[in-house]
Amino acid sequence: MRALVVYESQWGNTERIAKTVADELGRTMSVQVVEAESAPSDVADADLVVVGGPTHGFSMTRPSTREAAVAQHGAPRAPERGIREWIAALPHLDRPVVAATFDTRVDAPRLPGSAAKAARHELRTLGFDVGIKAKTFRVHGYEGPLIDGELGRAVEWARSLVAALPSR
């Protein structure tokens, strides 16, 4: 089985979750983990696609929210392409591929909206099998770090993804 983990990260928190998930998935399948900026547009060979990004402005990032993160909150850089643009460039699938989404969000204040839920919705419209509930991982403030225990939760979530895959 093959998994593709695509992520977007500005401070490294989402990247840490993505790589933790990929490491755990790698125990049972072949895994490619890649930033959205360089992610492939052909995912038809994957058995599982995992997509993660930070929640900005109540949803997936946009170029303006990525730039604001740099200008107003000191993010190291603004990716040119995030998961929103990567998903928008994907073709409609000929066969369903299982997809799971996650996001990172500030722990306090707890604001509405979710990049993971928005990504899940967009993937569904392209023909992905999105029966797996979106997952949120919390960070302290904009820049993090991750809340204690979140990497452990990422491992458990990755195990649940493997368990949810259809048998081959």
Side-chain angles (χ1 to χ4, degrees):
M1 294 190 82
R2 292 178 299 276
L4 173 64
V5 178
V6 177
Y7 70 92
E8 160 189 359
S9 189
Q10 286 192 268
W11 282 278
N13 299 299
T14 311
E15 178 180 17
R16 288 184 70 202
I17 297 292
K19 289 184 174 180
T20 298
V21 168
D23 286 348
E24 187 61 30
L25 293 175
R27 294 175 178 270
T28 57
M29 64 183 72
S30 171
V31 179
Q32 178 185 11
V33 59
V34 62
E35 288 185 82
E37 287 181 300
S38 57
S41 59
D42 182 4
V43 300
D45 289 340
D47 299 293
L48 172 65
V49 175
V50 178
V51 180
T55 296
H56 286 193
F58 313 113
S59 189
M60 294 182 281
T61 69
R62 293 177 169 80
S64 61
T65 64
R66 293 191 291 268
E67 288 297 332
V70 172
Q72 298 169 8
H73 301 289
R77 68 182 199 89
E80 290 183 26
R81 179 171 85 161
I83 62 171
R84 176 187 296 270
E85 294 85 7
W86 177 74
I87 292 169
L90 292 175
H92 194 277
L93 297 176
D94 294 331
R95 69 163 181 92
V97 173
V98 176
T101 59
F102 73 91
D103 61 16
T104 52
R105 285 192 262 172
V106 297
D107 189 48
R110 293 220 180 200
L111 299 172
S114 168
K117 288 180 182 177
R120 184 174 180 259
H121 174 77
E122 294 302 317
L123 290 168
R124 180 185 308 120
T125 66
L126 293 172
F128 284 84
D129 174 354
V130 294
I132 299 168
K133 186 177 176 183
K135 189 74 164 179
T136 291
F137 298 94
R138 301 278 179 187
V139 298
H140 290 287
Y142 290 102
E143 69 281 349
L146 290 162
I147 299 291
D148 289 344
E150 292 300 78
L151 292 178
R153 287 182 63 237
V155 168
E156 291 303 317
W157 185 62
R159 289 177 183 157
S160 76
L161 298 178
V162 171
L165 289 173
S167 300
R168 289 223 165 198

